[in-house]
Amino acid sequence: MPDTDEIIDVLGGLSLFADLSRPELEGVAHTFEEEWFPAGQRILRQGFTGSGFYVIIDGEAAVSANGTQIAHLSRGDFFGEISLLLGESPVADVSSTGSLHCLVLAGPALQEFLLAHPSVMFRMLQALARRLRASNQWRS
Amino acid sequence: MAELNGKACPPGDYPVVVIGSGPGGLQTAYSLARAGVQAAVLSADDSPGGMFRRFPLFQRLITWTKIHAPAERGTRPYEWYDWNSLIGEDPALRALVPEYMDGTSYFPARHEMEQGLREFSDRSKISVRYGCRWESTRAKGDTFVVGTSDGEFSCRALVIAVGMTEPWKPANIPGIELAPHYVETKPVAEYAGKRVLVVGKRNSGFEVADALLPWARQIVLASPRPARISVLVRSTAAARARYLQPYEDHVLGGGNIVLDASIERIDRTPEGRFRTLLKGTTRPGDLALETDEIIAATGFGTPLGDIGQLGVKTFYQGRLPAQTPFWESASVPGVYFAGSITQGSIGLKKYGIPSNSAAVHGFRYNAVVLARHIAETRFGAARPRPAIPPAEVVPLLLAEATRAPELWNQQSYLAHILTFDDGRVLDEGILPLAHFVDANGPDGVAMAVETDAEGDIHPAVYIRRGPRVEEHTLASSPLLEFDTAEHVAQLTALLKGLIA
């Protein structure tokens, strides 16, 4: 199993956290909880309150809405942020498709975390902009 | 079961082997026996009690038992207020910890807890083989072979209930080996007049700092993550209110210090003091700290022996096994966990609030559910599922939301579940909520108690219709009364069409 050093190394390699210094990464590694899910486990549940923000550090997951798969996630991807930013329940399920290793931040802690780490907020904004562009291209 | 030398559970073949004689192991073995499944309980200790024979260091637990409670002692609703007793069906086995408390504190002393556990073990006649050390584990066909200091035991289901009791230090701090672990803390008088660094801001760190307040010249608590305080994050896993005196001292400028900093390295000075280099996390900056003493309150891991080689996967830096909602290894079927290890089965963790599976008041119910699950799925002993008259469904569920100790002590984690089968309503009893919402099953309803982002506690109802499960929140109540006319109307409307 990875120790804290390895988790920090993994975090430093993810674009979301690419601008953080090593002590900041250590703070992130200790602020997030580590969770491990077996294959086929539902992690984000459509329509349920109280969800969190997840960053995949190893493994893969599927996003599905009303039973239909709409996206595939892997290492470095994150999920759960849209419902937390909007203060609504998730509009999709996210389930592990193999064993999945994540870092998790409790929903109520996301705003404070992003305000304390503006570079992470900017990187998240970029990722969301890319998703928006892809979805607009798909529609047109 | 006794051998000539008087030891219970001689080596041999058993349906289930339970390793550990703390509250998790005892509750599992007892509940298995009630379900008609024989277990051999193996313990390296010489008497029951598990970690409470040694920890917490400073004598009193952080889980309360209310001697004068709103519910009558010995009843099921009383369990809500008694966080420490195991759950027996016979009245002589119920609410045993308060029997041994002297009434001077809300929190039992360690010896009071140990006495309650010993009484439960003696009165329930659970057979435990003491002084029997678990040494190896291997799979042989569909059985497990457990090698011990007393010989080999084989079983179809293995329950590991050894507690998170192994002192743990992070591997990435040069010099951390110089720092004695929390368990090696010296008698408090030896810290008189000294400057002490405590590494760690969880309960063991605050506990030791609290005990040193009258002695140490200055205490510095340091770890990378800001302290999480139970009353703020609404979790028993965060630092508990009764240990917060050092934190108040820091906040009010009393001279003791709480730092958010990573520990970069620890060295001995030529004078025999400790020199620690720290890097601020929430507030950047380097610090060098010289102290007379240092204590690594860096937590505990699970002494899982060699089960990794069976394929049991772990997380949290190898400190916990990954588990299904029924506390079975996520990677090796037939290996189960009980006691504080069950915190590795995370559940819904709504708003980031974890279950209480790390403490007796949570995991005792996990063990009851686990025993019935093992009996049913491995040994064909079906759980009772009594039919409920449709008119009783709403009153039953609201009574459970108002008084069920399982729902209150394991919020968003254990639920009371009813299923609907061809016009009949079946009472499935208490089950893991994650199992109900994530596994396929018949139409049904699960009642849970939950705390929301504002800290309001309310009943939550999960309704399965076909493949979908929907969540509904019932009204909260300032006096925690969830069986009012408003609740009856809300729940009746939600269940419309499901009950005849």
Side-chain angles (χ1 to χ4, degrees), chain A residues 1-5 23 26-27 30-36 38 41-42 45-51 66 99 106 108, chain B residues 171-172 224-225 262 279-281 313-318 322 330 346 348-352 437-438 462 468-471:
Chain A
M1 283 313 292
D3 63 19
T4 311
D5 265 355
E26 176 139 2
H30 284 87
T31 302
F32 281 60
E33 307 273 347
E34 189 191 345
E35 289 184 11
W36 190 96
Q41 171 72 47
R42 202 150 65 119
R45 297 170 178 89
Q46 185 176 351
F48 282 25
T49 56
S51 53
N66 302 315
S99 74
Chain B
N172 65 333
R225 177 179 176 158
S262 64
K279 258 187 199 307
T281 50
K313 288 219 163 147
T314 58
F315 69 112
Y316 192 37
Q317 299 171 56
I346 290 161
L348 273 66
K349 205 174 175 182
K350 287 193 157 191
Y351 302 101
V437 301
D438 290 337
Y462 295 83
R468 283 190 56 79
V469 179
E470 286 185 353
E471 175 208 276

Short mmCIF file of all heavy atoms in Angstrom, two decimals, chain A residues 1-5 23 26-27 30-36 38 41-42 45-51 66 99 106 108, chain B residues 171-172 224-225 262 279-281 313-318 322 330 346 348-352 437-438 462 468-471:
data_model
loop_
_atom_site.label_atom_id
_atom_site.label_comp_id
_atom_site.label_asym_id
_atom_site.label_seq_id
_atom_site.Cartn_x
_atom_site.Cartn_y
_atom_site.Cartn_z
N MET A 1 0.84 -1.20 0.00
CA MET A 1 0.00 0.00 0.00
C MET A 1 0.87 1.24 0.00
O MET A 1 1.93 1.25 0.60
CB MET A 1 -0.88 0.00 1.25
CG MET A 1 -2.06 -0.95 1.17
SD MET A 1 -2.99 -0.86 -0.36
CE MET A 1 -3.75 0.75 -0.25
N PRO A 2 0.39 2.31 -0.64
CA PRO A 2 1.20 3.52 -0.70
C PRO A 2 1.30 4.16 0.68
O PRO A 2 0.36 4.13 1.45
CB PRO A 2 0.42 4.42 -1.65
CG PRO A 2 -0.96 3.90 -1.63
CD PRO A 2 -0.89 2.45 -1.29
N ASP A 3 2.47 4.73 0.99
CA ASP A 3 2.55 5.53 2.21
C ASP A 3 2.30 6.99 1.81
O ASP A 3 2.03 7.30 0.64
CB ASP A 3 3.88 5.33 2.93
CG ASP A 3 5.06 5.78 2.09
OD1 ASP A 3 4.85 6.55 1.14
OD2 ASP A 3 6.18 5.34 2.38
N THR A 4 2.37 7.88 2.79
CA THR A 4 2.02 9.28 2.51
C THR A 4 2.89 9.86 1.41
O THR A 4 2.42 10.60 0.56
CB THR A 4 2.16 10.11 3.80
OG1 THR A 4 1.49 9.41 4.84
CG2 THR A 4 1.54 11.48 3.65
N ASP A 5 4.21 9.49 1.41
CA ASP A 5 5.10 10.01 0.38
C ASP A 5 4.61 9.64 -1.01
O ASP A 5 4.63 10.47 -1.92
CB ASP A 5 6.51 9.43 0.57
CG ASP A 5 7.37 10.38 1.39
OD1 ASP A 5 6.89 11.49 1.69
OD2 ASP A 5 8.51 10.01 1.71
N PRO A 23 4.98 20.95 0.69
CA PRO A 23 4.23 21.04 1.95
C PRO A 23 2.73 21.20 1.73
O PRO A 23 1.93 20.64 2.48
CB PRO A 23 4.82 22.28 2.64
CG PRO A 23 6.15 22.48 2.03
CD PRO A 23 6.05 21.97 0.63
N GLU A 26 1.41 17.87 0.96
CA GLU A 26 1.31 17.08 2.19
C GLU A 26 0.04 17.45 2.95
O GLU A 26 -0.66 16.60 3.48
CB GLU A 26 2.55 17.28 3.06
CG GLU A 26 2.44 16.55 4.38
CD GLU A 26 3.73 15.86 4.81
OE1 GLU A 26 4.74 15.96 4.10
OE2 GLU A 26 3.70 15.22 5.85
N GLY A 27 -0.25 18.77 2.99
CA GLY A 27 -1.49 19.21 3.63
C GLY A 27 -2.71 18.61 2.94
O GLY A 27 -3.64 18.14 3.60
N HIS A 30 -3.23 15.00 3.77
CA HIS A 30 -3.80 14.79 5.10
C HIS A 30 -5.21 15.35 5.23
O HIS A 30 -5.92 15.00 6.16
CB HIS A 30 -2.90 15.39 6.17
CG HIS A 30 -1.69 14.58 6.45
ND1 HIS A 30 -0.52 14.71 5.73
CD2 HIS A 30 -1.47 13.56 7.31
CE1 HIS A 30 0.37 13.84 6.17
NE2 HIS A 30 -0.17 13.13 7.13
N THR A 31 -5.60 16.27 4.34
CA THR A 31 -6.94 16.85 4.42
C THR A 31 -7.96 15.91 3.80
O THR A 31 -9.07 15.75 4.30
CB THR A 31 -6.98 18.20 3.67
OG1 THR A 31 -6.00 19.05 4.27
CG2 THR A 31 -8.33 18.85 3.77
N PHE A 32 -7.57 15.29 2.70
CA PHE A 32 -8.45 14.32 2.06
C PHE A 32 -8.36 12.98 2.81
O PHE A 32 -7.34 12.66 3.41
CB PHE A 32 -8.02 14.10 0.61
CG PHE A 32 -8.46 15.19 -0.35
CD1 PHE A 32 -8.05 16.49 -0.16
CD2 PHE A 32 -9.27 14.89 -1.44
CE1 PHE A 32 -8.44 17.50 -1.05
CE2 PHE A 32 -9.67 15.88 -2.33
CZ PHE A 32 -9.25 17.19 -2.14
N GLU A 33 -9.42 12.20 2.76
CA GLU A 33 -9.40 10.84 3.30
C GLU A 33 -9.10 9.91 2.14
O GLU A 33 -9.43 10.19 1.00
CB GLU A 33 -10.77 10.45 3.88
CG GLU A 33 -11.33 11.42 4.89
CD GLU A 33 -10.86 11.14 6.30
OE1 GLU A 33 -10.29 10.05 6.53
OE2 GLU A 33 -11.04 12.02 7.16
N GLU A 34 -8.49 8.78 2.48
CA GLU A 34 -8.21 7.78 1.46
C GLU A 34 -9.31 6.72 1.51
O GLU A 34 -9.66 6.26 2.59
CB GLU A 34 -6.85 7.16 1.79
CG GLU A 34 -6.28 6.26 0.74
CD GLU A 34 -5.08 5.50 1.29
OE1 GLU A 34 -4.54 5.86 2.34
OE2 GLU A 34 -4.72 4.50 0.66
N GLU A 35 -9.88 6.38 0.37
CA GLU A 35 -10.89 5.32 0.36
C GLU A 35 -10.60 4.35 -0.78
O GLU A 35 -10.04 4.73 -1.80
CB GLU A 35 -12.32 5.90 0.25
CG GLU A 35 -12.75 6.59 1.53
CD GLU A 35 -14.18 7.10 1.50
OE1 GLU A 35 -14.93 6.76 0.57
OE2 GLU A 35 -14.54 7.86 2.43
N TRP A 36 -10.98 3.12 -0.58
CA TRP A 36 -10.73 2.06 -1.53
C TRP A 36 -12.05 1.33 -1.78
O TRP A 36 -12.74 0.98 -0.85
CB TRP A 36 -9.69 1.10 -0.94
CG TRP A 36 -9.16 0.08 -1.89
CD1 TRP A 36 -8.01 0.17 -2.62
CD2 TRP A 36 -9.74 -1.18 -2.21
NE1 TRP A 36 -7.85 -0.96 -3.37
CE2 TRP A 36 -8.89 -1.81 -3.14
CE3 TRP A 36 -10.90 -1.86 -1.81
CZ2 TRP A 36 -9.16 -3.07 -3.68
CZ3 TRP A 36 -11.18 -3.11 -2.34
CH2 TRP A 36 -10.30 -3.70 -3.26
N PRO A 38 -14.17 -1.81 -3.95
CA PRO A 38 -14.09 -2.97 -4.84
C PRO A 38 -14.85 -2.70 -6.14
O PRO A 38 -15.62 -1.74 -6.22
CB PRO A 38 -14.77 -4.08 -4.03
CG PRO A 38 -15.69 -3.37 -3.10
CD PRO A 38 -15.07 -2.03 -2.81
N GLN A 41 -18.82 -1.07 -7.05
CA GLN A 41 -19.36 -0.33 -5.91
C GLN A 41 -19.87 1.04 -6.36
O GLN A 41 -19.17 1.77 -7.05
CB GLN A 41 -18.27 -0.18 -4.85
CG GLN A 41 -18.61 0.74 -3.70
CD GLN A 41 -19.63 0.13 -2.77
OE1 GLN A 41 -19.52 -1.03 -2.38
NE2 GLN A 41 -20.67 0.89 -2.44
N ARG A 42 -21.09 1.38 -5.94
CA ARG A 42 -21.60 2.71 -6.25
C ARG A 42 -20.98 3.71 -5.26
O ARG A 42 -20.97 3.46 -4.06
CB ARG A 42 -23.13 2.72 -6.12
CG ARG A 42 -23.79 3.82 -6.87
CD ARG A 42 -25.19 3.40 -7.33
NE ARG A 42 -26.11 3.16 -6.23
CZ ARG A 42 -27.24 3.85 -6.03
NH1 ARG A 42 -27.58 4.82 -6.85
NH2 ARG A 42 -28.05 3.56 -5.03
N ARG A 45 -24.17 8.65 -5.64
CA ARG A 45 -25.49 8.07 -5.86
C ARG A 45 -26.47 9.15 -6.33
O ARG A 45 -26.69 10.13 -5.62
CB ARG A 45 -25.99 7.41 -4.57
CG ARG A 45 -25.12 6.25 -4.11
CD ARG A 45 -25.49 5.77 -2.73
NE ARG A 45 -24.69 4.63 -2.30
CZ ARG A 45 -23.52 4.72 -1.67
NH1 ARG A 45 -23.00 5.89 -1.40
NH2 ARG A 45 -22.87 3.62 -1.32
N GLN A 46 -27.03 8.91 -7.50
CA GLN A 46 -27.96 9.86 -8.11
C GLN A 46 -29.12 10.16 -7.16
O GLN A 46 -29.76 9.25 -6.65
CB GLN A 46 -28.49 9.25 -9.41
CG GLN A 46 -29.38 10.17 -10.22
CD GLN A 46 -29.79 9.53 -11.56
OE1 GLN A 46 -29.28 8.48 -11.94
NE2 GLN A 46 -30.71 10.18 -12.25
N GLY A 47 -29.34 11.44 -6.91
CA GLY A 47 -30.49 11.84 -6.11
C GLY A 47 -30.29 11.78 -4.60
O GLY A 47 -31.20 12.14 -3.85
N PHE A 48 -29.11 11.35 -4.14
CA PHE A 48 -28.88 11.25 -2.69
C PHE A 48 -28.15 12.49 -2.19
O PHE A 48 -27.20 12.96 -2.82
CB PHE A 48 -28.03 10.02 -2.35
CG PHE A 48 -28.77 8.71 -2.38
CD1 PHE A 48 -29.91 8.55 -3.14
CD2 PHE A 48 -28.31 7.64 -1.62
CE1 PHE A 48 -30.59 7.33 -3.17
CE2 PHE A 48 -28.98 6.43 -1.64
CZ PHE A 48 -30.12 6.28 -2.41
N THR A 49 -28.54 12.97 -1.02
CA THR A 49 -27.88 14.13 -0.42
C THR A 49 -26.57 13.72 0.25
O THR A 49 -26.31 12.55 0.48
CB THR A 49 -28.78 14.75 0.66
OG1 THR A 49 -29.10 13.72 1.61
CG2 THR A 49 -30.06 15.29 0.07
N GLY A 50 -25.75 14.75 0.57
CA GLY A 50 -24.60 14.52 1.46
C GLY A 50 -23.39 13.90 0.81
O GLY A 50 -22.59 13.27 1.49
N SER A 51 -23.21 14.06 -0.51
CA SER A 51 -22.09 13.40 -1.19
C SER A 51 -20.79 14.18 -1.01
O SER A 51 -20.78 15.26 -0.43
CB SER A 51 -22.42 13.22 -2.67
OG SER A 51 -22.80 14.45 -3.22
N ASN A 66 -29.62 7.50 -14.91
CA ASN A 66 -30.81 6.67 -15.16
C ASN A 66 -30.44 5.34 -15.81
O ASN A 66 -31.12 4.87 -16.71
CB ASN A 66 -31.82 7.43 -16.02
CG ASN A 66 -32.23 8.74 -15.36
OD1 ASN A 66 -32.50 8.77 -14.16
ND2 ASN A 66 -32.22 9.82 -16.13
N SER A 99 -11.13 -2.29 -9.16
CA SER A 99 -10.85 -1.75 -7.84
C SER A 99 -10.43 -0.29 -8.00
O SER A 99 -9.73 0.07 -8.95
CB SER A 99 -9.79 -2.58 -7.12
OG SER A 99 -8.54 -2.34 -7.66
N ALA A 106 -14.92 15.65 2.23
CA ALA A 106 -16.34 15.78 2.61
C ALA A 106 -16.94 16.99 1.91
O ALA A 106 -16.30 18.04 1.82
CB ALA A 106 -16.46 15.92 4.12
N PRO A 108 -19.09 19.36 2.69
CA PRO A 108 -19.09 20.68 3.33
C PRO A 108 -17.70 21.33 3.40
O PRO A 108 -17.60 22.53 3.66
CB PRO A 108 -19.60 20.36 4.76
CG PRO A 108 -20.37 19.09 4.62
CD PRO A 108 -19.67 18.31 3.54
N ALA B 171 5.94 6.25 7.96
CA ALA B 171 7.27 5.77 7.60
C ALA B 171 8.13 6.87 7.00
O ALA B 171 9.33 6.70 6.85
CB ALA B 171 7.14 4.61 6.62
N ASN B 172 7.51 8.02 6.66
CA ASN B 172 8.24 8.99 5.84
C ASN B 172 8.88 10.14 6.62
O ASN B 172 9.23 11.14 6.05
CB ASN B 172 7.30 9.56 4.76
CG ASN B 172 6.16 10.36 5.37
OD1 ASN B 172 5.77 10.12 6.51
ND2 ASN B 172 5.65 11.33 4.63
N PRO B 224 0.08 17.74 10.12
CA PRO B 224 -0.20 18.54 8.91
C PRO B 224 -1.64 19.05 8.82
O PRO B 224 -1.88 20.13 8.30
CB PRO B 224 0.10 17.56 7.76
CG PRO B 224 0.98 16.52 8.35
CD PRO B 224 0.56 16.40 9.79
N ARG B 225 -2.57 18.26 9.30
CA ARG B 225 -3.99 18.59 9.07
C ARG B 225 -4.55 19.39 10.24
O ARG B 225 -4.27 19.08 11.39
CB ARG B 225 -4.73 17.27 8.94
CG ARG B 225 -6.20 17.35 8.76
CD ARG B 225 -6.74 15.93 8.63
NE ARG B 225 -8.18 15.97 8.54
CZ ARG B 225 -8.91 15.00 8.01
NH1 ARG B 225 -8.33 13.92 7.56
NH2 ARG B 225 -10.21 15.10 7.95
N SER B 262 3.78 19.90 8.78
CA SER B 262 4.31 18.55 8.55
C SER B 262 5.64 18.44 9.29
O SER B 262 6.39 19.41 9.41
CB SER B 262 4.47 18.28 7.06
OG SER B 262 5.43 19.16 6.51
N LYS B 279 7.32 22.08 8.73
CA LYS B 279 6.93 22.97 7.64
C LYS B 279 5.43 23.23 7.76
O LYS B 279 4.64 22.29 7.80
CB LYS B 279 7.20 22.28 6.29
CG LYS B 279 8.47 22.76 5.60
CD LYS B 279 8.57 22.16 4.22
CE LYS B 279 9.97 22.22 3.65
NZ LYS B 279 10.59 23.54 3.66
N GLY B 280 5.08 24.51 7.81
CA GLY B 280 3.68 24.86 7.95
C GLY B 280 2.85 24.38 6.76
O GLY B 280 3.32 24.44 5.62
N THR B 281 1.66 23.92 7.00
CA THR B 281 0.78 23.51 5.90
C THR B 281 -0.29 24.56 5.64
O THR B 281 -0.39 25.11 4.54
CB THR B 281 0.13 22.14 6.18
OG1 THR B 281 -0.46 22.16 7.48
CG2 THR B 281 1.15 21.04 6.11
N LYS B 313 -7.10 -7.27 0.67
CA LYS B 313 -6.62 -5.93 0.29
C LYS B 313 -6.81 -4.96 1.44
O LYS B 313 -7.81 -5.02 2.15
CB LYS B 313 -7.39 -5.41 -0.92
CG LYS B 313 -7.01 -6.12 -2.19
CD LYS B 313 -6.95 -5.15 -3.35
CE LYS B 313 -6.18 -5.80 -4.45
NZ LYS B 313 -6.45 -5.57 -5.76
N THR B 314 -5.86 -4.03 1.57
CA THR B 314 -5.96 -3.03 2.62
C THR B 314 -5.89 -1.63 2.01
O THR B 314 -5.52 -1.47 0.85
CB THR B 314 -4.82 -3.17 3.64
OG1 THR B 314 -3.57 -3.04 2.94
CG2 THR B 314 -4.88 -4.51 4.35
N PHE B 315 -6.26 -0.63 2.79
CA PHE B 315 -6.10 0.76 2.40
C PHE B 315 -5.71 1.55 3.64
O PHE B 315 -5.40 0.95 4.67
CB PHE B 315 -7.37 1.30 1.72
CG PHE B 315 -8.54 1.46 2.65
CD1 PHE B 315 -9.03 2.71 2.96
CD2 PHE B 315 -9.15 0.37 3.23
CE1 PHE B 315 -10.11 2.87 3.82
CE2 PHE B 315 -10.23 0.52 4.09
CZ PHE B 315 -10.70 1.77 4.38
N TYR B 316 -5.72 2.90 3.57
CA TYR B 316 -5.34 3.72 4.69
C TYR B 316 -3.92 3.33 5.12
O TYR B 316 -3.64 3.02 6.26
CB TYR B 316 -6.35 3.54 5.84
CG TYR B 316 -6.28 4.51 7.00
CD1 TYR B 316 -5.99 5.84 6.82
CD2 TYR B 316 -6.55 4.06 8.29
CE1 TYR B 316 -5.96 6.71 7.89
CE2 TYR B 316 -6.52 4.92 9.37
CZ TYR B 316 -6.20 6.24 9.17
OH TYR B 316 -6.17 7.10 10.24
N GLN B 317 -3.04 3.31 4.13
CA GLN B 317 -1.64 2.95 4.32
C GLN B 317 -1.50 1.58 4.99
O GLN B 317 -0.69 1.39 5.89
CB GLN B 317 -0.92 4.04 5.12
CG GLN B 317 -0.94 5.37 4.36
CD GLN B 317 -0.44 6.53 5.19
OE1 GLN B 317 0.66 6.47 5.68
NE2 GLN B 317 -1.24 7.56 5.33
N GLY B 318 -2.33 0.64 4.54
CA GLY B 318 -2.23 -0.73 5.03
C GLY B 318 -2.83 -0.95 6.40
O GLY B 318 -2.72 -2.03 6.96
N ALA B 322 -10.03 -3.51 3.18
CA ALA B 322 -11.18 -3.04 2.41
C ALA B 322 -12.30 -4.06 2.58
O ALA B 322 -12.07 -5.27 2.50
CB ALA B 322 -10.81 -2.88 0.95
N ALA B 330 -13.23 -7.39 0.84
CA ALA B 330 -13.67 -7.08 -0.52
C ALA B 330 -12.96 -7.96 -1.53
O ALA B 330 -13.38 -8.05 -2.68
CB ALA B 330 -13.43 -5.61 -0.83
N ILE B 346 -17.11 1.56 4.75
CA ILE B 346 -17.30 3.00 4.95
C ILE B 346 -18.77 3.42 4.97
O ILE B 346 -19.15 4.32 5.70
CB ILE B 346 -16.50 3.75 3.87
CG1 ILE B 346 -15.00 3.57 4.21
CG2 ILE B 346 -16.84 5.23 3.84
CD1 ILE B 346 -14.08 3.84 3.07
N LEU B 348 -22.31 5.13 3.61
CA LEU B 348 -22.64 6.31 2.80
C LEU B 348 -21.85 7.55 3.22
O LEU B 348 -21.68 8.47 2.43
CB LEU B 348 -24.15 6.60 2.86
CG LEU B 348 -24.97 5.83 1.82
CD1 LEU B 348 -24.94 4.33 2.07
CD2 LEU B 348 -26.40 6.32 1.78
N LYS B 349 -21.41 7.61 4.44
CA LYS B 349 -20.58 8.71 4.95
C LYS B 349 -21.11 10.07 4.47
O LYS B 349 -20.38 10.88 3.89
CB LYS B 349 -19.14 8.51 4.50
CG LYS B 349 -18.13 9.20 5.41
CD LYS B 349 -16.72 8.86 5.01
CE LYS B 349 -15.73 9.65 5.84
NZ LYS B 349 -14.34 9.38 5.45
N LYS B 350 -22.37 10.30 4.71
CA LYS B 350 -23.00 11.53 4.22
C LYS B 350 -22.40 12.77 4.87
O LYS B 350 -22.14 12.76 6.07
CB LYS B 350 -24.49 11.46 4.48
CG LYS B 350 -25.19 10.49 3.55
CD LYS B 350 -26.65 10.72 3.64
CE LYS B 350 -27.34 10.22 2.40
NZ LYS B 350 -28.73 10.69 2.39
N TYR B 351 -22.23 13.80 4.08
CA TYR B 351 -21.61 15.06 4.53
C TYR B 351 -20.26 14.81 5.19
O TYR B 351 -19.81 15.59 6.03
CB TYR B 351 -22.56 15.82 5.49
CG TYR B 351 -23.88 16.12 4.85
CD1 TYR B 351 -25.01 15.35 5.13
CD2 TYR B 351 -23.99 17.13 3.91
CE1 TYR B 351 -26.22 15.60 4.51
CE2 TYR B 351 -25.21 17.39 3.29
CZ TYR B 351 -26.31 16.62 3.58
OH TYR B 351 -27.51 16.86 2.97
N GLY B 352 -19.62 13.70 4.83
CA GLY B 352 -18.30 13.40 5.38
C GLY B 352 -18.33 12.84 6.79
O GLY B 352 -17.28 12.63 7.38
N VAL B 437 -29.31 0.21 -0.45
CA VAL B 437 -29.40 1.18 -1.56
C VAL B 437 -28.60 0.75 -2.79
O VAL B 437 -28.88 1.21 -3.90
CB VAL B 437 -28.99 2.62 -1.15
CG1 VAL B 437 -29.87 3.13 -0.04
CG2 VAL B 437 -27.52 2.71 -0.78
N ASP B 438 -27.59 -0.12 -2.62
CA ASP B 438 -26.71 -0.43 -3.75
C ASP B 438 -26.91 -1.83 -4.34
O ASP B 438 -26.51 -2.08 -5.47
CB ASP B 438 -25.24 -0.27 -3.34
CG ASP B 438 -24.87 1.19 -3.14
OD1 ASP B 438 -25.56 2.06 -3.70
OD2 ASP B 438 -23.91 1.45 -2.40
N TYR B 462 -35.54 5.60 2.56
CA TYR B 462 -35.08 5.16 1.24
C TYR B 462 -36.10 4.16 0.72
O TYR B 462 -36.41 3.18 1.40
CB TYR B 462 -33.69 4.51 1.35
CG TYR B 462 -32.65 5.50 1.80
CD1 TYR B 462 -32.47 5.80 3.15
CD2 TYR B 462 -31.85 6.17 0.88
CE1 TYR B 462 -31.53 6.72 3.57
CE2 TYR B 462 -30.91 7.11 1.29
CZ TYR B 462 -30.75 7.37 2.64
OH TYR B 462 -29.83 8.29 3.05
N ARG B 468 -34.79 1.32 -8.97
CA ARG B 468 -34.36 2.60 -8.42
C ARG B 468 -34.65 2.74 -6.93
O ARG B 468 -35.67 2.28 -6.44
CB ARG B 468 -35.08 3.75 -9.15
CG ARG B 468 -34.49 4.02 -10.54
CD ARG B 468 -35.06 5.30 -11.13
NE ARG B 468 -34.85 6.46 -10.29
CZ ARG B 468 -33.70 7.11 -10.20
NH1 ARG B 468 -32.67 6.70 -10.89
NH2 ARG B 468 -33.59 8.17 -9.43
N VAL B 469 -33.70 3.39 -6.25
CA VAL B 469 -33.92 3.71 -4.84
C VAL B 469 -33.93 5.22 -4.71
O VAL B 469 -33.02 5.91 -5.18
CB VAL B 469 -32.80 3.13 -3.95
CG1 VAL B 469 -33.05 3.51 -2.50
CG2 VAL B 469 -32.73 1.62 -4.11
N GLU B 470 -35.00 5.75 -4.11
CA GLU B 470 -35.07 7.19 -3.90
C GLU B 470 -34.92 7.54 -2.44
O GLU B 470 -35.40 6.81 -1.57
CB GLU B 470 -36.42 7.71 -4.41
CG GLU B 470 -36.48 7.75 -5.92
CD GLU B 470 -37.76 8.38 -6.44
OE1 GLU B 470 -38.65 8.66 -5.61
OE2 GLU B 470 -37.85 8.59 -7.65
N GLU B 471 -34.25 8.67 -2.21
CA GLU B 471 -34.05 9.14 -0.84
C GLU B 471 -35.05 10.24 -0.51
O GLU B 471 -35.28 11.13 -1.34
CB GLU B 471 -32.62 9.69 -0.72
CG GLU B 471 -32.31 10.31 0.63
CD GLU B 471 -31.24 11.39 0.51
OE1 GLU B 471 -30.06 11.03 0.52
OE2 GLU B 471 -31.60 12.58 0.40
#
